[in-house]
C-alpha cells in the first residue's frame, strides 16, 4: 500500500522539526534516532524509511535550506545579489527553526563553510583590483562578519526588525561603528 504524498512529506517534516529542536539544544553526537522518533510520535523504523541516519538528516536539512535560498535568489532576481540579499532570503519564518539549529551553539561549521561557498565573489561588492593578493582576506572578513552578525540576530530572536538589522549591517560596512558611538 502506497502512502499519500502529503502524509509522507508531513512525516518527513516532523522528523526535521524535531531534529532541529534537539540540535539547537545539544550536539549532534548526543541526539539519537530513538529520541527523534519518540518525540516525533513515530517508531524508529519509520525514521529509517526517510533517512539512513542522523547525518543524512542533517545533510537533508542543510541542502533544503541552501536550495530554498538559491530558488529565492533566482525568483527575486535581486538587482544587487549581494551577500545581504542571500541573508535576506534566509530571513523567513519557515527557516527560523532550521537556522536556530544550524547557526546555534551546536551548529555545523561545515554548514557555515557550505554557505560561504554558495556566495560567489561577484556577489561581494569589493572595489579592489581583480588580482589583488588581499582579496581572499577581504572575502573572508565580509562573509564571516555578516554571518556572525546574522547568527547573533537569530540567537537574539530577531530583537531588531529585518529592516533595522539589514540597515545596521549595511551601515557597519560603509561607516563602521563610529556613527553609533556618537548617539
Amino acid at each position: 500500500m502506497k502512502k499519500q504524498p502529503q502524509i509522507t512529506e508531513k512525516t518527513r517534516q516532523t522528523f526535521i522539526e524535531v531534529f532541529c529542536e534537539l540540535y539547537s539544544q545539544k550536539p549532534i553526537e548526543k541526539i539519537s534516532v530513538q529520541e527523534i522518533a519518540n518525540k516525533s510520535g513515530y517508531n524508529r523504523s519509520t525514521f529509517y524509511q526517510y533517512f539512513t541516519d542522523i547525518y543524512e538528516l542533517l545533510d537533508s536539512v542543510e541542502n533544503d535550506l541552501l536550495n530554498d535560498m538559491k530558488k529565492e535568489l533566482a525568483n527575486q532576481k535581486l538587482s544587487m545579489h549581494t551577500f545581504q540579499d542571500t541573508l535576506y532570503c534566509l530571513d523567513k519564518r519557515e527557516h527560523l527553526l532550521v537556522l536556530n539549529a544550524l547557526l546555534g551553539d551546536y551548529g555545523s561549521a561545515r554548514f557555515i563553510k557550505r554557505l560561504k561557498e554558495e556566495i560567489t565573489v561577484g556577489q561581494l561588492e569589493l572595489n579592489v583590483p581583480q588580482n589583488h593578493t588581499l582579496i581572499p582576506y577581504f572575502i573572508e572578513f565580509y562573509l564571516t562578519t555578516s554571518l556572525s552578525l546574522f547568527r547573533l540576530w537569530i540567537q537574539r530572536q530577531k530583537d531588531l526588525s529585518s529592516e533595522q538589522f539589514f540597515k545596521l549591517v549595511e551601515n557597519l560596512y560603509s561607516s563602521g561603528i563610529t556613527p553609533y558611538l556618537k548617539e
Side-chain angles (χ1 to χ4, degrees), residues 28 47 50-63:
I28 196 167
F47 176 91
Y50 294 87
F51 307 101
T52 56
D53 60 20
I54 290 174
Y55 294 97
E56 182 183 324
L57 173 54
L58 174 61
D59 282 343
S60 179
V61 168
E62 289 178 0
N63 290 336

Side-chain angles (χ1 to χ4, degrees), residues 8 25 43 71 98 102 118 122 126 132 140 150 178 180:
T8 302
Q25 298 166 10
N43 58 43
K71 279 186 217 164
V98 171
L102 296 178
E118 289 296 326
L126 301 174
H132 199 285
E140 184 64 19
F150 189 76
T178 306
Y180 295 97

Side-chain angles (χ1 to χ4, degrees), residues 29-169:
E29 300 81 23
K30 302 269 185 188
I31 301 170
S32 69
V33 170
Q34 185 67 54
E35 183 178 21
I36 293 171
N38 288 346
K39 288 186 181 272
S40 297
Y42 297 99
N43 58 43
R44 284 176 43 168
S45 63
T46 304
F47 176 91
Y48 289 118
Q49 290 174 9
Y50 294 87
F51 307 101
T52 56
D53 60 20
I54 290 174
Y55 294 97
E56 182 183 324
L57 173 54
L58 174 61
D59 282 343
S60 179
V61 168
E62 289 178 0
N63 290 336
D64 289 351
L65 184 64
L66 291 171
N67 289 333
D68 283 353
M69 179 190 75
K70 286 179 203 173
K71 279 186 217 164
E72 181 72 20
L73 280 169
N75 289 342
Q76 294 294 322
K77 294 186 176 138
L78 295 167
S79 56
M80 295 174 62
H81 278 291
T82 64
F83 188 56
Q84 276 83 354
D85 289 335
T86 304
L87 293 179
Y88 192 77
C89 288
L90 295 175
D91 178 29
K92 296 192 176 300
R93 180 178 290 134
E94 65 265 21
H95 296 313
L96 192 56
L97 182 65
V98 171
L99 288 170
N100 274 325
L102 296 178
L103 299 176
D105 292 338
Y106 304 105
S108 165
R110 185 188 70 157
F111 172 72
I112 299 285
K113 184 177 181 197
R114 288 182 69 194
L115 186 56
K116 286 179 182 178
E117 287 169 356
E118 289 296 326
I119 311 305
T120 63
V121 176
Q123 286 176 290
L124 302 177
E125 295 177 347
L126 301 174
N127 293 323
V128 294
Q130 284 289 13
N131 297 324
H132 199 285
T133 58
L134 297 178
I135 285 179
Y137 295 97
F138 297 154
I139 291 170
E140 184 64 19
F141 169 79
Y142 191 86
L143 296 179
T144 303
T145 303
S146 295
L147 276 172
S148 223
L149 290 170
F150 189 76
R151 181 176 182 254
L152 177 63
W153 181 56
I154 295 292
Q155 288 175 339
R156 292 179 56 103
Q157 299 174 5
K158 296 184 174 184
D159 57 343
L160 301 173
S161 72
S162 296
E163 294 77 23
Q164 288 173 314
F165 172 74
F166 290 108
K167 187 68 174 165
L168 172 65
V169 173

